[in-house]
Amino acid sequence: MKRKWNSPTALAQRQSDSLPLGRGLGSMLYCTQSLLGCFVALGHATETATFQAQDTYEITPLTRPLYIFIFITVDLADRFSGPVPELQLASQILHVLFLFLPLLWALGLLPPLDALLLWGMEQALVFGLGGSPMSSNLRLLLMFGVSAGIAVCNYFIPSSLGVVIFSVSMGFLLSLDLSQVGTLCRGPQTAFGNRGLCRGESPPRTSNPFGWTLGCREFLVYLSLLLVAMTEAGLLHHFFGSVQSQSLVTGPQAPISYLLLVLYLICWALREIQGAYVFGGVFINPLYPKGISSVQTFKQRNRWLYVAAAIRRVLLHLVSPFAMIAFLSMDKSLHLLHRVSLSVGFTRAFRVVWQSSEEALLQTVVVVLMRLAAGVHVLSGWDNLGTEVQLLLVGLVTDRLTQFLAKLKFTLTLLVTSWTEKKQRRQSAGTLLALNTSLCPLLLAVVTLSALLSAPLLPLFTLPIFLVGFPRPQRSWPGPVGTACPCPDSIFYQQMSGSLAYALRMAFARGSLGSLAPGSHFLGRFQDRMVWIMILERGYGYCTVNIKGLELQETSCHTVEARRVDEVFEAAFERPERLGFTQGFNLHWGNALTPCATLAVRVYSDARNVLSGIIDSHDNLRKLQDDFLKALVWLLLRYCVQNHKRVLWGSEEGPGVGARKSQSSQFAQTTCNQPPEAVIVESNVSSLRFRQDSSSLTSFGDWSDEDDLFGPQPTRRTVALVTAEAQPGHMTLQTGASLPGSVEMDSLFENMALSALQPLQPLGLGITVPATDKCHNPEVFRESPSSLPQLNFSCPQSEVFNLPTGWRTAPLLPSRLLQLRPLFPEDWFRFTLGQFGPAVQGETTEDMTKALKEDEVLKELHTRVALSCLISLGAESAFTSPSYVYRLYCGDIPWTEGLNWLSSSKELYQLALRAFRFSFKLLFDQASLGPMESPEELFSTLEEYERDWYIGLVTEKGWHDSVLQEKPFLFCLGHDLTMGTYTGRVLSLQEQLVHVGRLNGEGVRGQWANLSWELLYATNDDEERYSIQAHPFMLRNLTVQAADPPLGYPIYSSAPLHFPCL
């Protein structure tokens, strides 16, 4: 029989037989073209899209071949699989994009592999699985894996009731701060405060606030919430889940829907009145207190706002989640099991009600309003999606719309200020403005595309030339959180981070800072300090933030932007003196900073005073010697008491200092642990001794142009050094590095009293004048400690106040000590002895105290040691030179007769140095507040110095430790070399009002994206480049500072801080 090839059946059969061949040929052609592109991509051109500062794993050459491989994979999957509409659509789109790959690579729109992976997991976790961006890459990876596993389990659970209960329970558990699970096993000692102290941060002010650690109390509360939620969801779904209704008005969800509408309106209104501005920062909030500088007054004026915030907290965190669970549990779409979209929707919907209750409430209200607007009409396409998928789409659209508006505001601010701001107006400003106006549709398309991709809007060189940056995570930076460029000022931010975290916890819970979302940025301002706050993670009852501190040494650009920040905060928190229509408007609405609230934070207030008229007053200097001896006597007796208590209790720390090391022990520890090559010198025992123990070749600080206002003076070649060099047989001394070919111009006698100068030895020709041989002078005490006579005290308790034997071996003439005997304050010694006596023996009688005071041997012992210290410091005559006082305060003591003896005992030297610093603080206080009226007042003042003050130098380790330990007060004497004046600096720890404002997050991301592109790709690291100059509206310089190193340079950056927000 002859076959008919031209029949319709035969034609269809022939086309069917040739279809695999056509697909195969098309695949071969597409693969060949792709392979050619892959070979071109393997050339490893410099990538415009650079995420890492250093390609450690060398994955950059694989970026372009991977994209081509993805295109090939999708095409092959579409050709050799069944008809899948979604896969066919994706293949068609990728075929079109394949033609534009070179352009996309050139523009830097396609992210590197690591950024693509992190961004994809973050987007899927947030919008597909209901989670939150994580504070680290490891947490993101683990949370994404666990959440995806929950969605897979929901797909295979056969019962709708099982899906509801499982989704509710897992959603609640995953929304908690799982990083604190380990604290339940470690006990209550692992609270936030203890972890903060390990990092040098201050603990919360309350003893045991709810939520700081996962203890038994928190465990019971969370368990109760979980059981109630599971019971509610199970019962409602069992009894009302099968009820079918075409209308929301008549169905079982109707009362819950109206309840959700009311809850949202109440929560929104209560949140709006908590801040300084309302309606998106446009109008001033008349209910917010303004013009208040007192913390107590501010709290009293805010009391009724705190009540409103408490009501909002209950409605938002307790009522709203259960109402939304009730609404979802009765939805009919729960019966449509074994669909991927609905399984993902179930997982997301039942988790987001806990993870972000405020956003979930808004999304649910939008869905309810759409159903109410439709009425009895059926929106087939929309209704077939199911409530869970509808919520997913609404959440995605809401996020993208919010990003679009923020990016549009950033764009308009940059465009307008490029012309209106005189310092920002470049020659090309008019051309760029006209070009953006004429290409307005293209500009809107760029803004829209960046919002759709959740990618930063990149202003090229921060000019009004906008590109779409490659998608990246919300944190913007690949490295771990907490890297910084530390400096001595970092300790102030480190100290305030714990107290600021506590204040932020309360502000977040009250809603004072507005709606919170990961990726939000805030700026805090107090005196000369700038605090940058970024939200990293958000869940049910907790929030994770990163606190950064910006530099205190303000540059010109920093000063310009700081001044504008102050103006913005003053307009918001001070009563504006305006008249007319603009009185209620925010005149700084176009600024990147929108003031939100004022927080009470425990920080150090810095006060600096010029000491002209105090340190150079002869009357004050004459009294300094007497105050020094009184302070030294007090410290010696206190030293004895502390030693006695340590012996009795067998511990290193006595109770008199509240289980805390005294300043003397801190000084001694610092001196022992200080490395010899350290640039920061705690105490120059003498110019001679210091240069013998240290290597001067490790530092060039002697000829640096940078002068520390409150630091020690540069090391000089003092008279003692010259004298020592002239002595025969003396070892060669290193005096510090100098510039090659330079000549020392420092005066040998600079900053020294003439009475303190020693006779110079003749230099040259090896001829020397015979020096006094103290070893052969019979009048000089040179006894060894073992040859000293035993002291016979008349009172048995006097042994407690006995001093170490080596402290009695000063090589001084007895006649010299006898001559200075009238300077010793005997009355003060007896008074202080009477005060310390009962502290040693709790049942000391009056007769015993009297016998203690009348013990002449004890008095002679302390007289000899105190006067020996006075002579060794060169203070036997009245102080006449402020420069000499400053040198003694800094520990840069010129050589004297007994200095070697004094420096041989570190404890005695530290006591003498502290006594002199105490005496100068007494001089400062008495010149400001008046003289001491009684010995009791002087005694209490010295006790206050020891307990509440640190008196030293900012370059000392003790200063650093005292700030971190939150010593109430710190004092430092400084010398302004430029002005030639002496200054006093006082730090006082107290609660202060810190203004906090919200930054335009998309503006920050855009400027950081440009910073990354400009430094890593364009390699424009010019310190005076345009993109780092001051911009009062965008706060460009501050934003660049706050970027993570190596591109930014914050002086402090905390580790991720987890704290509760309930």
Side-chain angles (χ1 to χ4, degrees):
M1 183 176 178
K2 190 175 181 179
R3 188 173 182 178
K4 296 181 180 180
W5 291 95
N6 295 328
S7 63
T9 304
L11 183 61
Q13 181 67 27
R14 184 171 58 191
Q15 292 177 351
S16 176
D17 295 339
S18 62
L19 185 58
L21 180 61
R23 286 193 172 186
L25 291 175
S27 300
M28 291 179 61
L29 181 61
Y30 184 73
C31 291
T32 302
Q33 184 181 3
S34 300
L35 288 175
L36 291 176
C38 187
F39 285 122
V40 174
L42 285 174
H44 184 32
T46 303
E47 291 292 344
T48 310
T50 306
F51 189 51
Q52 299 276 359
Q54 186 176 4
D55 190 10
T56 306
Y57 302 103
E58 297 185 357
I59 61 175
T60 302
L62 304 177
T63 301
R64 298 189 180 187
L66 178 66
Y67 278 108
I68 295 177
F69 178 76
I70 294 175
F71 280 54
I72 296 175
T73 303
V74 175
D75 177 76
L76 294 178
D78 176 48
R79 291 177 183 274
F80 294 99
S81 64
V84 181
E86 293 83 1
L87 188 59
Q88 291 178 357
L89 179 61
S91 179
Q92 294 172 3
I93 294 175
L94 291 182
H95 274 76
V96 176
L97 290 179
F98 187 81
L99 301 176
F100 297 95
L101 276 181
L103 178 62
L104 297 178
W105 280 326
L107 295 177
L109 187 57
L110 297 179
L113 298 183
D114 48 355
L116 177 64
L117 179 63
L118 295 175
W119 172 81
M121 287 193 300
E122 186 176 88
Q123 294 294 309
L125 177 62
V126 174
F127 300 104
L129 301 172
S132 164
M134 294 287 113
S135 57
S136 66
N137 297 336
L138 180 60
R139 287 173 62 89
L140 176 62
L141 180 62
L142 294 178
M143 186 59 70
F144 175 77
V146 174
S147 302
I150 301 301
V152 173
C153 293
N154 278 333
Y155 182 81
F156 291 101
I157 294 178
S159 170
S160 60
L161 180 61
V163 169
V164 170
I165 295 178
F166 182 74
S167 299
V168 169
S169 59
M170 290 297 101
F172 177 78
L173 293 177
L174 293 180
S175 65
L176 299 177
D177 185 11
L178 299 180
S179 64
Q180 293 186 352
V181 173
T183 60
L184 185 62
C185 303
R186 291 192 294 266
Q189 297 300 323
T190 55
F192 172 85
N194 293 344
R195 296 201 306 267
L197 286 177
C198 295
R199 295 189 298 268
E201 295 153 5
S202 58
R205 287 169 294 178
T206 54
S207 57
N208 190 19
F210 179 84
W212 284 113
T213 179
L214 187 58
C216 295
R217 180 180 56 178
E218 290 79 8
F219 179 77
L220 293 177
V221 171
Y222 292 148
L223 181 61
S224 302
L225 292 175
L226 177 61
L227 294 178
V228 172
M230 293 173 61
T231 304
E232 177 199 18
L235 292 178
L236 290 178
H237 179 74
H238 178 74
F239 291 105
F240 299 98
S242 59
V243 178
Q244 300 294 328
S245 176
Q246 298 295 331
S247 176
L248 182 65
V249 180
T250 59
Q253 293 177 313
I256 304 298
S257 302
Y258 291 113
L259 175 62
L260 291 174
L261 289 174
V262 174
L263 283 175
Y264 177 75
L265 293 176
I266 295 177
C267 291
W268 176 82
L270 293 179
R271 187 197 70 193
E272 284 291 300
I273 63 175
Q274 297 294 324
Y277 289 103
V278 296
F279 297 106
V282 178
F283 301 99
I284 295 178
N285 182 11
L287 303 179
Y288 196 83
K290 299 179 178 63
I292 300 176
S293 57
S294 172
V295 176
Q296 297 300 328
T297 306
F298 178 80
K299 291 182 178 180
Q300 293 177 359
R301 294 279 299 275
N302 259 349
R303 186 174 301 172
W304 71 274
L305 287 179
Y306 296 160
V307 175
I311 297 174
R312 174 184 173 272
R313 237 179 336 199
V314 173
L315 295 179
L316 184 62
H317 296 292
L318 293 180
V319 180
S320 296
F322 291 105
M324 287 184 283
I325 289 176
F327 178 82
L328 295 172
S329 301
M330 295 184 292
D331 193 76
K332 60 182 180 180
S333 61
L334 289 172
H335 297 280
L336 303 176
L337 300 177
H338 309 301
R339 291 172 58 178
V340 175
S341 59
L342 288 180
S343 297
V344 173
F346 296 151
T347 305
R348 179 193 180 277
F350 284 106
R351 178 178 177 180
V352 76
V353 299
W354 303 105
Q355 190 82 44
S356 182
S357 301
E358 195 167 8
E359 294 181 3
L361 185 59
L362 173 61
Q363 297 163 15
T364 308
V365 166
V366 171
V367 172
V368 169
L369 291 177
M370 292 182 65
R371 292 187 180 182
L372 292 176
V376 296
H377 301 286
V378 178
L379 304 177
S380 57
W382 177 256
D383 292 339
N384 292 335
L385 293 176
T387 303
E388 289 76 11
V389 181
Q390 292 174 5
L391 291 173
L392 189 152
L393 294 178
V394 170
L396 184 62
V397 171
T398 303
D399 177 79
R400 296 308 191 253
L401 181 60
T402 304
Q403 287 193 35
F404 174 80
L405 296 178
K407 293 175 191 293
L408 186 61
K409 179 182 178 181
F410 171 59
T411 304
L412 294 177
T413 301
L414 189 57
L415 281 172
V416 173
T417 55
S418 66
W419 181 261
T420 57
E421 288 291 313
K422 184 178 180 180
K423 292 187 177 182
Q424 308 300 327
R425 190 184 306 165
R426 302 172 63 88
Q427 293 181 353
S428 58
T431 304
L432 292 177
L433 190 60
L435 189 62
N436 280 278
T437 304
S438 59
L439 299 178
C440 182
L442 179 60
L443 178 60
L444 291 177
V446 170
V447 175
T448 304
L449 180 60
S450 65
L452 291 177
L453 295 177
S454 187
L457 182 65
L458 192 153
L460 203 61
F461 299 104
T462 63
L463 293 169
I465 305 174
F466 299 97
L467 300 175
V468 180
F470 64 86
R472 66 198 76 189
Q474 286 285 352
R475 290 189 290 115
S476 298
W477 307 110
V481 176
T483 56
C485 304
C487 70
D489 292 330
S490 303
I491 58 173
F492 297 108
Y493 292 110
Q494 191 175 358
Q495 174 272 326
M496 71 179 296
S497 60
S499 179
L500 180 60
Y502 182 84
L504 288 174
R505 164 189 177 258
M506 302 303 299
F508 289 164
R510 294 166 184 158
S512 303
L513 302 182
S515 178
L516 302 177
S520 301
H521 297 265
F522 299 89
L523 185 68
R525 176 70 167 168
F526 170 70
Q527 288 188 350
D528 57 349
R529 272 157 270 183
M530 289 274 195
V531 182
W532 192 284
I533 305 162
M534 180 180 180
I535 299 181
L536 303 173
E537 188 178 331
R538 180 72 193 275
Y540 183 71
Y542 83 97
C543 191
T544 304
V545 302
N546 170 234
I547 298 176
K548 294 179 180 179
L550 306 186
E551 61 182 359
L552 300 184
Q553 300 294 333
E554 298 183 352
T555 60
S556 57
C557 297
H558 185 104
T559 304
V560 171
E561 295 185 356
R563 189 182 304 117
R564 178 56 60 90
V565 170
D566 292 335
E567 293 176 0
V568 172
F569 281 135
E570 287 175 3
F573 300 113
E574 302 294 334
R575 182 63 63 182
E577 299 295 337
R578 305 184 200 148
L579 298 175
F581 180 74
T582 61
Q583 183 175 1
F585 288 90
N586 179 13
L587 299 182
H588 298 279
W589 181 82
N591 198 285
L593 179 66
T594 302
C596 294
T598 300
L599 308 180
V601 183
R602 190 174 175 83
V603 295
Y604 276 104
S605 177
D606 196 347
R608 311 191 185 201
N609 305 296
V610 178
L611 301 183
S612 299
I614 297 179
I615 194 174
D616 52 0
S617 172
H618 295 288
D619 295 336
N620 293 335
L621 293 179
R622 278 193 296 269
K623 197 174 185 307
L624 186 60
Q625 186 184 61
D626 181 58
D627 290 339
F628 166 72
L629 288 174
K630 290 182 179 179
L632 182 59
V633 167
W634 186 87
L635 286 173
L636 289 174
L637 293 176
R638 183 183 177 277
Y639 171 83
C640 298
V641 173
Q642 292 297 104
N643 279 345
H644 178 70
K645 291 182 178 180
R646 281 196 292 265
V647 171
L648 290 180
W649 294 350
S651 62
E652 296 182 357
E653 298 173 1
V657 289
R660 182 172 52 195
K661 288 186 178 181
S662 64
Q663 289 187 3
S664 61
S665 61
Q666 291 177 0
F667 266 106
Q669 182 182 3
T670 302
T671 307
C672 298
N673 297 336
Q674 189 75 12
E677 64 274 12
V679 179
I680 300 175
V681 182
E682 287 239 21
S683 58
N684 301 333
V685 175
S686 66
S687 302
L688 172 63
R689 184 177 182 84
F690 170 69
R691 288 170 175 80
Q692 287 176 344
D693 296 338
S694 64
S695 174
S696 61
L697 298 179
T698 58
S699 171
F700 292 89
D702 291 347
W703 50 270
S704 173
D705 291 333
E706 298 179 2
D707 294 325
D708 189 352
L709 181 61
F710 294 97
Q713 290 181 329
T715 307
R716 296 182 176 88
R717 295 165 53 87
T718 59
V719 175
L721 177 62
V722 178
T723 306
E725 288 176 343
Q727 293 177 357
H730 197 279
M731 62 176 294
T732 303
L733 301 178
Q734 298 176 351
T735 60
S738 302
L739 286 173
S742 64
V743 179
E744 291 287 346
M745 299 301 296
D746 288 333
S747 172
L748 297 177
F749 314 108
E750 184 176 357
N751 289 339
M752 292 187 61
L754 295 179
S755 60
L757 295 179
Q758 302 295 328
L760 289 178
Q761 304 283 352
L763 304 178
L765 303 178
I767 303 175
T768 59
V769 174
T772 302
D773 189 359
K774 299 180 179 59
C775 296
H776 295 84
N777 193 332
E779 294 183 351
V780 179
F781 287 97
R782 299 296 293 177
E783 298 95 345
S784 63
S786 59
S787 62
L788 289 176
Q790 184 70 24
L791 297 177
N792 297 319
F793 297 110
S794 61
C795 179
Q797 278 70 30
S798 298
E799 188 64 36
V800 175
F801 298 96
N802 190 12
L803 297 175
T805 308
W807 294 8
R808 294 187 281 152
T809 60
L812 302 174
L813 296 173
S815 59
R816 194 172 182 183
L817 294 176
L818 186 62
Q819 182 181 2
L820 298 176
R821 178 69 177 274
L823 297 178
F824 184 77
E826 296 184 6
D827 295 338
W828 169 253
F829 173 77
R830 293 190 178 92
F831 173 80
T832 307
L833 199 60
Q835 296 294 322
F836 281 122
V840 177
Q841 299 291 338
E843 300 180 357
T844 302
T845 61
E846 294 183 2
D847 295 337
M848 188 177 300
T849 303
K850 183 179 179 180
L852 194 63
K853 294 180 180 181
E854 294 177 353
D855 193 333
E856 292 296 327
V857 177
L858 180 63
K859 185 189 72 172
E860 291 297 328
L861 171 64
H862 283 264
T863 302
R864 179 174 182 176
V865 174
L867 294 179
S868 299
C869 292
L870 182 71
I871 297 174
S872 300
L873 294 179
E876 53 187 311
S877 60
F879 297 100
T880 58
S881 172
S883 60
Y884 190 73
V885 172
Y886 175 70
R887 291 189 63 181
L888 286 183
Y889 185 93
C890 295
D892 187 15
I893 306 170
W895 186 88
T896 58
E897 241 182 302
L899 185 58
N900 289 336
W901 161 80
L902 180 61
S903 60
S904 63
S905 176
K906 293 183 179 180
E907 286 185 319
L908 181 59
Y909 173 78
Q910 298 298 337
L911 289 175
L913 180 60
R914 290 180 58 235
F916 183 81
R917 292 178 174 179
F918 279 18
S919 63
F920 183 82
K921 185 62 173 60
L922 286 172
L923 181 150
F924 179 80
D925 290 344
Q926 292 180 95
S928 305
L929 307 175
M932 300 289 175
E933 297 181 354
S934 62
E936 290 81 4
E937 184 180 359
L938 178 59
F939 189 90
S940 63
T941 301
L942 292 175
E943 280 189 327
E944 181 186 355
Y945 287 170
E946 179 66 32
R947 182 183 64 252
D948 298 334
W949 285 79
Y950 179 84
I951 304 173
L953 299 173
V954 296
T955 54
E956 295 173 345
K957 185 178 181 296
W959 180 282
H960 178 277
D961 296 339
S962 298
V963 171
L964 297 183
Q965 295 169 7
E966 294 194 341
K967 203 83 168 178
F969 303 97
L970 292 91
F971 176 81
C972 172
L973 175 63
H975 186 202
D976 189 345
L977 298 177
T978 305
M979 303 299 296
T981 58
Y982 294 93
T983 53
R985 182 181 184 183
V986 178
L987 298 181
S988 56
L989 183 65
Q990 53 188 331
E991 272 196 324
Q992 297 287 343
L993 296 178
V994 178
H995 301 317
V996 179
R998 177 189 288 268
L999 294 162
N1000 187 344
E1002 293 304 321
V1004 173
R1005 292 184 66 199
Q1007 294 181 70
W1008 282 356
N1010 170 75
L1011 178 66
S1012 177
W1013 178 89
E1014 190 173 358
L1015 294 184
L1016 299 182
Y1017 174 73
T1019 62
N1020 180 22
D1021 57 351
D1022 184 7
E1023 294 183 356
E1024 298 299 329
R1025 62 185 184 274
Y1026 174 76
S1027 59
I1028 203 175
Q1029 300 301 315
H1031 196 298
F1033 281 84
M1034 292 169 48
L1035 304 180
R1036 186 166 51 195
N1037 186 266
L1038 297 178
T1039 304
V1040 170
Q1041 288 185 47
D1044 282 6
L1047 305 184
Y1049 45 97
I1051 65 174
Y1052 172 76
S1053 181
S1054 69
L1057 300 177
H1058 303 260
F1059 52 82
C1061 297
L1062 287 179

